[in-house]
Amino acid sequence: MRVKLDQELDELSELLILMAQSSCSAVEEAFHSLQARNPEQAKQVAEQEAHINRMERRIEKMSLKLLLMEQPVASDLRRVSSALKMITDLERIADQAANIAEIALYWMRESTVSLVPGSLQEMAEAALEMTRSAIQAFLREDEALARRVIAQDDDVDSFFLQVRGELAAQMRQETGEADRVLDQLMVAKYLERIGDHAQNIAEWVIYFLTGEIEHYN
């Protein structure tokens, strides 16, 4: 009985990792479509989002089956309940990616001007690094790494304030570029939310490992 449960828990973890990789890929594709002005790449993000939504439902069903049909001990219960929480954040990360891709498509139709200043690129890299590290913390059962991810959210928030300040200055100087500036600000906001979701994932990793719930937001 225990062997079967362990196999199912391993399968659950593998699916969670696949979902996390898909969510990170969606963010990468969305942001790259913004940089490269690639409409086909932006459109693919919507397909990725639909795939991620299906993965979320599959993991939900598997988790509920484990809770209802098997006999998990306390650590197993924490693993399953953490997975249920993490997939919600991963699905929302994919939502933010789809929002960025939608802005990319709109801007490609409306203008030839780039939407990616250097500070926004740095912010995207920081948010993605948080997400990847949060999943690695789960995979390695690494509490210290999870805590570093939580601390990194301050860096993403600082990038957001920097981008917002730069864009506000541009808007004051270039009144004809208000739409571009607002779209850049929206992209920055979506990236900030991705960082928040990565922090949530790290918090659930700590809960899985320690049984302690720590909310920083």
Side-chain angles (χ1 to χ4, degrees):
M1 192 73 176
R2 182 68 222 184
V3 171
K4 180 175 180 291
L5 178 57
D6 285 340
Q7 289 174 340
E8 291 176 333
L9 288 169
D10 287 345
E11 184 180 353
L12 178 69
S13 294
E14 289 170 5
L15 285 172
L16 181 64
I17 297 302
L18 286 173
M19 183 178 176
Q21 291 171 341
S22 296
S23 293
C24 286
S25 175
V27 176
E28 290 171 345
E29 295 288 325
F31 200 80
H32 188 266
S33 75
L34 197 64
Q35 291 175 302
R37 300 182 61 82
N38 186 331
E40 292 307 314
Q41 194 171 35
K43 290 173 185 175
Q44 287 171 3
V45 175
E47 296 177 10
Q48 285 180 288
E49 184 196 15
H51 173 65
I52 289 164
N53 290 341
R54 290 192 294 271
M55 292 184 75
E56 181 189 24
R57 291 192 291 272
R58 182 179 174 187
I59 293 171
E60 282 178 344
K61 289 178 181 177
M62 179 178 289
S63 298
L64 293 173
K65 175 181 175 293
L66 283 168
L67 292 172
L68 294 172
M69 305 298 292
E70 305 297 346
Q71 295 179 339
V73 298
S75 60
D76 301 329
L77 288 169
R78 290 202 305 271
R79 178 186 285 272
V80 175
S81 57
S82 296
L84 281 168
K85 293 291 186 179
M86 284 189 272
I87 61 172
T88 298
D89 284 294
L90 289 170
E91 189 274 332
R92 288 175 182 168
I93 286 172
D95 286 345
Q96 307 308 325
N99 289 336
I100 293 170
E102 186 176 342
I103 287 176
L105 285 170
Y106 169 78
W107 201 251
M108 280 181 257
R109 291 192 299 266
E110 298 296 322
S111 174
T112 59
V113 178
S114 172
L115 268 180
V116 188
S119 53
L120 200 59
Q121 171 70 46
E122 290 180 284
M123 186 178 181
E125 291 170 356
L128 271 169
E129 177 60 25
M130 279 186 71
T131 306
R132 294 190 193 102
S133 294
I135 295 305
Q136 283 299 311
F138 175 76
L139 186 61
R140 300 175 190 169
E141 300 188 10
D142 188 336
E143 181 184 350
L145 179 56
R147 293 189 182 279
R148 287 199 296 274
V149 171
I150 291 168
Q152 286 176 320
D153 191 53
D154 290 339
D155 297 335
V156 174
D157 290 344
S158 294
F159 275 123
F160 176 72
L161 293 175
Q162 177 186 342
V163 171
R164 188 178 67 181
E166 291 173 359
L167 295 176
Q170 287 181 32
M171 190 175 285
R172 286 192 293 270
Q173 296 169 8
E174 306 171 16
T175 55
E177 294 295 325
D179 286 348
R180 173 178 60 82
V181 170
L182 288 173
D183 284 336
Q184 288 174 328
L185 184 58
M186 288 302 300
V187 171
K189 189 63 183 176
Y190 295 140
L191 292 171
E192 184 195 32
R193 289 175 182 168
I194 288 169
D196 289 341
H197 290 306
Q199 177 179 328
N200 290 343
I201 292 168
E203 290 173 7
W204 287 112
V205 171
I206 291 172
Y207 168 71
F208 157 52
L209 296 174
T210 68
E212 299 173 5
I213 297 177
E214 302 182 26
H215 289 304
Y216 294 80
N217 287 331

